[in-house]
Amino acid sequence: MVDLNAQYDSIKSEIDGAISGVIHDGAFVGGKYVEQFEKNFAQYCEVKHAIGLNSGTDALYLALWALGIKEGDEVITTPFSFFATAEVVARLGATPVFVDIDPNSFNIDPELIESKITKNTKAIIPVHLYGKPAQMDKIMELAKKYNLYVIEDACQAIGAKYQGKRVGGIGDIGCFSFYPSKNLGAYGDGGMLTTNNSQIAEKIKLLHNHGAKIKYHHTHIGVSSRLDGIQAAILDVKLKYIEEWNNKRFEVAKQYNDILKNIMGIKLSEFKLDDKNTHIYHQYTFKVTNGQRDELAKELNKHGISTMIYYPIPLHLLEAMNYLNYKEGSMVETEKAAAEVLSLPIYPELESSKIRFIADKIEQFFNLSC
Ligand SMILES: *Cc1c(COP(=O)(O)O)cnc(C)c1O
């Protein structure tokens, strides 16, 4: 799905230099490399504060925790995401409330949110799935009307723009992941929380480091969730390339689109994209509407082409979420998407010839199966 070695080869000397710099300075946890990266990340995302953490999951968890989300509270989110999005809500004793997706964008359908708001609703977590921003204007409008927090799960969408604004800086808090396969991937785990709210930033800075602002002066109960110096130094090198890489992903997606749009049995999402509304294609995902998604995946695999299903089981139907008592059929569009989506390899270094090869095999499959 990705070729991380190809990326490393293209910036090897810079990365190696960054790593040995950290080792030389012994700045392994916190310190100047983390601070430098936080500063550059905040600038890139056009937010006031960015705080490096252990993972994207921790960013989501600490966001909710810092906002005081607790048992009895409800948090509205999408059932079509990575498990962490809902897991963190449950982990705090609050209740995830799922709202079905818009089948075209795969993101939470803002039109369906209002009817799920109760007196216990405290926050909405939109996910910018696959790198395509959720419809934030309507979500922010509802949040204002009902006095709710908005926490953007931007783990798949670093650099994506919504109405000219970078995601992660639109809601109260933005959460990012540097899991190695993400668009901005570390060589291990890592995450970032962004906010324009200084009070929230101060709280996160406390909580993520054992509730101590000054070493050994613990004023709060916190956790240990810090970004490593080596990861920060690596990410700081990579951040310089993120625009270029995201643009290349967009070109890959365009090539796929041009070939796949003519195939019966495949449905592509249709978006209006421009300079102000972008999709950074963390994943390139389409729907197979003739019921042969799994057969297509198998056939591509035979030719050495990897595919993935993000995500095969909607969150509301996962075993861990059984206690919420959602039934099959309760989130029609999400369940349909889970049965029909397929993601193809996408990364900046993916060559045109390979894209052509993959698309050819897909074309052949549908020609033979018709
Ligand atoms: C990757 C991801 C996360 C979790 O990030 P980690 O860094 O792996 O903890 C959360 N939400 C979404 C949508 C993700 O893609």
Side-chain angles (χ1 to χ4, degrees):
M1 296 300 286
V2 291
D3 186 347
L4 296 177
N5 282 322
Q7 190 191 64
Y8 174 58
D9 288 343
S10 72
I11 50 171
K12 186 175 182 324
S13 62
E14 275 183 280
I15 295 279
D16 293 355
I19 293 172
S20 52
V22 178
I23 296 170
H24 182 261
D25 294 338
F28 295 114
V29 178
K32 66 176 183 183
Y33 294 95
V34 174
E35 281 162 27
Q36 183 64 36
F37 176 57
E38 286 175 339
K39 199 173 135 235
N40 290 336
F41 191 91
Q43 196 174 19
Y44 176 69
C45 292
E46 298 158 5
V47 290
K48 286 202 190 115
H49 310 279
I51 300 129
L53 303 168
N54 247 334
S55 66
T57 303
D58 273 7
L60 289 162
Y61 178 72
L62 283 164
L64 293 172
W65 195 24
L67 295 173
I69 309 289
K70 57 181 187 318
E71 205 174 326
D73 293 340
E74 293 172 7
V75 176
I76 289 175
T77 192
T78 166
F80 204 44
S81 180
F82 178 59
F83 182 51
T85 312
E87 184 186 30
V88 294
V89 177
R91 171 85 180 76
L92 283 160
T95 305
V97 174
F98 295 115
V99 167
D100 207 359
I101 57 166
D102 162 2
N104 186 51
S105 71
F106 302 111
N107 284 323
I108 192 166
D109 185 343
E111 302 299 335
L112 304 177
I113 292 176
E114 193 161 16
S115 67
K116 297 281 183 82
I117 295 173
T118 72
K119 61 179 195 325
N120 296 322
T121 309
K122 291 284 154 44
I124 307 173
I125 311 180
V127 179
H128 308 302
L129 199 71
Y130 307 145
K132 166 84 172 65
Q135 239 181 301
M136 292 302 292
D137 54 350
K138 291 198 179 143
I139 293 167
M140 295 310 292
E141 216 177 282
L142 284 169
K144 202 166 168 202
K145 185 169 165 193
Y146 292 96
N147 199 22
L148 309 174
Y149 294 114
V150 175
I151 298 141
E152 294 174 71
D153 183 338
C155 287
Q156 301 188 0
I158 180 174
K161 282 185 183 169
Y162 179 81
Q163 295 182 355
K165 273 192 182 165
R166 299 268 192 209
V167 298
I170 303 166
D172 299 282
I173 294 179
C175 301
F176 294 87
S177 167
F178 306 127
Y179 188 78
S181 62
K182 299 283 157 88
N183 284 28
L184 184 67
Y187 292 167
D189 271 315
M192 189 74 86
L193 184 148
T194 57
T195 182
N196 285 310
N197 182 318
S198 308
Q199 263 175 304
I200 293 174
E202 283 309 309
K203 191 127 192 221
I204 298 293
K205 280 182 204 166
L206 263 179
L207 293 179
H208 90 112
N209 197 17
H210 300 291
K213 202 162 180 191
I214 306 162
K215 205 164 189 179
Y216 304 129
H217 291 250
H218 304 273
T219 54
H220 291 69
I221 307 292
V223 293
S224 166
S225 180
R226 300 169 300 215
L227 185 62
D228 288 345
I230 286 183
Q231 301 306 342
I234 290 166
L235 291 163
D236 206 36
V237 169
K238 289 190 174 195
L239 186 63
K240 289 186 289 182
Y241 297 96
I242 193 70
E243 279 293 289
E244 182 190 325
W245 288 339
N246 280 349
N247 288 337
K248 284 188 177 163
R249 286 172 177 276
F250 184 74
E251 292 304 318
V252 172
K254 225 164 66 180
Q255 274 194 61
Y256 275 137
N257 278 342
D258 284 344
I259 308 170
L260 301 183
K261 69 180 178 208
N262 300 317
I263 299 178
M264 288 263 289
I266 284 186
K267 183 163 184 332
L268 303 180
S269 292
E270 281 168 37
F271 316 114
K272 262 188 254 147
L273 298 174
D274 53 39
D275 288 349
K276 292 190 159 159
N277 296 281
T278 66
H279 184 336
I280 54 113
Y281 285 100
H282 172 57
Q283 299 299 344
Y284 180 84
T285 304
F286 60 89
K287 286 193 213 167
V288 180
T289 52
N290 70 349
Q292 292 191 306
R293 191 259 320 262
D294 296 343
E295 288 81 354
L296 172 62
K298 232 181 261 167
E299 181 62 21
L300 293 177
N301 199 257
K302 269 193 220 156
H303 295 283
I305 301 161
S306 33
T307 60
M308 288 292 283
I309 297 164
Y310 302 110
Y311 294 89
I313 309 171
L315 303 185
H316 66 289
L317 298 178
L318 283 170
E319 197 178 331
M321 293 281 144
N322 272 354
Y323 73 102
L324 295 172
N325 287 317
Y326 282 88
K327 298 276 175 287
E328 234 181 291
S330 58
M331 302 276 140
V332 178
E333 296 300 346
T334 301
E335 291 166 34
K336 208 165 158 224
E340 294 186 337
V341 289
L342 194 66
S343 298
L344 296 177
I346 187 163
Y347 48 92
E349 300 81 11
L350 186 60
E351 296 125 339
S352 293
S353 58
K354 284 193 184 151
I355 298 168
R356 186 69 246 184
F357 176 77
I358 294 166
D360 280 349
K361 294 299 165 212
I362 297 173
E363 255 176 344
Q364 279 168 24
F365 173 83
F366 283 100
N367 286 339
L368 293 174
S369 68
C370 279

